[in-house]
Amino acid sequence: RLFTLTALRRRGFPPEAINKFCEIIGVTMSQTILHPSTLEACVRDYLNKHAPRKMVVQEPLKLTIANWKELHGDKKTIEVAVPDFPAEEDSPTRQVTLAPEIYIE
C-alpha cells in the first residue's frame, strides 16, 4: 500500500513524526520496501513525548482494595500526582483521585 503525504496528514499523522520517518529511511535511488510499523513507531515516539495522557477503561472490571482503611484510615478518596510524560524526570503532573473501589481492564 502506498502512503502519500496528503493521506498521512488527513489521517492525523503529526508532521514531526513524518519528518523523523523520512530521516530514518534516508534518500536512496534503489527500490526499498519498508514495513508500515516503522512509520507507526515514529508516530508513537513523537506522541509519547508530546501528547497529554488520559485514562479510560473500556471494559471495566471492579476491584475493591481490601486493606484501604489500614492504608488511608477513614479517607474516602486520596489524590495522587501522576506525571503527564512518564519518560521525562521533570514532567508536569496531574492529580488523579484514588478510591477504595477502582475499575481496571
Side-chain angles (χ1 to χ4, degrees), residues 10-77:
R10 192 176 325 128
R11 288 180 176 88
F13 283 69
E16 295 85 353
I18 297 170
N19 288 339
K20 182 67 175 173
F21 174 71
C22 293
E23 181 182 314
I24 288 173
I25 63 172
V27 178
T28 180
M29 294 300 289
S30 64
Q31 187 175 8
T32 307
I33 297 174
L34 296 169
H35 201 274
S37 64
T38 309
L39 175 59
E40 293 165 1
C42 292
V43 173
R44 233 182 348 268
D45 289 344
Y46 174 78
L47 292 177
N48 192 35
K49 295 176 186 170
H50 296 92
R53 302 294 193 269
K54 300 295 178 193
M55 294 189 301
V56 65
V57 180
Q58 293 180 340
E59 296 179 26
L61 177 63
K62 188 175 182 179
L63 178 83
T64 303
I65 302 173
N67 61 344
W68 179 267
K69 286 198 182 234
E70 295 171 21
L71 297 171
H72 303 291
D74 291 331
K75 293 181 184 176
K76 299 287 184 199
T77 62

Side-chain angles (χ1 to χ4, degrees), residues 55-105:
M55 294 189 301
V56 65
V57 180
Q58 293 180 340
E59 296 179 26
L61 177 63
K62 188 175 182 179
L63 178 83
T64 303
I65 302 173
N67 61 344
W68 179 267
K69 286 198 182 234
E70 295 171 21
L71 297 171
H72 303 291
D74 291 331
K75 293 181 184 176
K76 299 287 184 199
T77 62
I78 61 168
E79 295 283 324
V80 179
V82 179
D84 282 337
F85 305 103
E88 298 177 16
E89 277 188 33
D90 299 332
S91 173
T93 60
R94 66 186 187 284
Q95 295 297 322
V96 176
T97 304
L98 187 62
E101 293 178 345
I102 59 175
Y103 292 90
I104 62 171
E105 190 148 356

